[in-house]
Amino acid sequence: MKKITGLFLSLFVGITLSFGQQQPALQQQTPPQETIEVSDAELTKFVNALEKVQELNNESQAQMLTAVKSNDLSVERFNEIHQDSGQESDVTPIEMENFSQAVKKIQAIQVETQQKMQNEIMECGISVERYQEILVAVQTSPELLARVQDSMN
């Protein structure tokens, strides 16, 4: 189960981080801020969005697991092939085809999940950009992290 979680956690991080890749020029021009102000109302919107994003992440993990298994690969074998990509290995042509099909399905799930996440964030009354700003700030501000954790309990 840890391998499954590791694979899908890395895929989720890729999905979440890909939000930030939509406006690279803006990010390069904006200097990183030490702290940001987050009102209680905005924090509530952020927490609601975060919970929706986590639900979508759980759903997409299940879909990705199904995508791997429906292509006659175990999660362990999928991970092995993924880690060996570009290197000489003992991957059979059938396994490589199954792996490629699973990757295509996973990529489609990621695209769909990212769109759903963006929609859920906006439906919670917060822009995707502001959600990202707060998400980054939560990772660097123990005070803000504590406020988020308190709001989630």
Side-chain angles (χ1 to χ4, degrees):
M1 187 65 180
K2 288 182 182 179
K3 288 183 180 183
I4 294 170
T5 304
L7 167 70
F8 295 123
L9 180 58
S10 67
L11 293 173
F12 171 67
V13 169
I15 291 169
T16 304
L17 293 178
S18 67
F19 283 144
Q21 294 175 357
Q22 294 175 2
Q23 296 178 337
L26 178 64
Q27 287 182 347
Q28 291 171 359
Q29 295 171 356
T30 306
Q33 297 177 348
E34 295 277 329
T35 59
I36 62 170
E37 295 297 320
V38 181
S39 69
D40 289 342
E42 191 174 39
L43 185 71
T44 299
K45 292 175 184 179
F46 172 78
V47 168
N48 289 339
L50 181 62
E51 289 172 344
K52 297 285 186 182
V53 166
Q54 288 174 335
E55 288 174 23
L56 288 169
N57 177 48
N58 291 340
E59 291 172 16
S60 70
Q61 284 183 12
Q63 292 172 346
M64 288 186 271
L65 180 60
T66 299
V68 169
K69 289 182 176 182
S70 71
N71 282 285
D72 297 324
L73 291 170
S74 68
V75 172
E76 292 79 15
R77 186 61 179 152
F78 178 89
N79 286 336
E80 288 171 5
I81 295 169
H82 178 71
Q83 290 172 353
D84 290 343
S85 293
Q87 298 178 3
E88 198 171 310
S89 64
D90 63 343
V91 180
T92 67
I94 292 172
E95 283 180 318
M96 187 52 76
E97 178 61 28
N98 292 346
F99 175 80
S100 295
Q101 292 301 316
V103 167
K104 286 178 187 175
K105 288 179 183 178
I106 288 170
Q107 288 171 335
I109 292 166
Q110 288 175 320
V111 168
E112 180 183 350
T113 300
Q114 181 178 2
Q115 186 61 50
K116 286 180 180 179
M117 286 178 176
Q118 290 174 348
N119 291 340
E120 288 291 344
I121 290 167
M122 290 185 290
E123 285 180 18
C124 288
I126 189 169
S127 72
V128 173
E129 294 78 16
R130 183 61 176 162
Y131 175 87
Q132 292 170 337
E133 289 174 5
I134 297 171
L135 186 63
V136 169
V138 165
Q139 296 171 8
T140 59
S141 169
E143 178 185 304
L144 188 55
L145 175 60
R147 287 178 62 202
V148 168
Q149 289 172 334
D150 289 345
S151 293
M152 293 182 87
N153 294 330

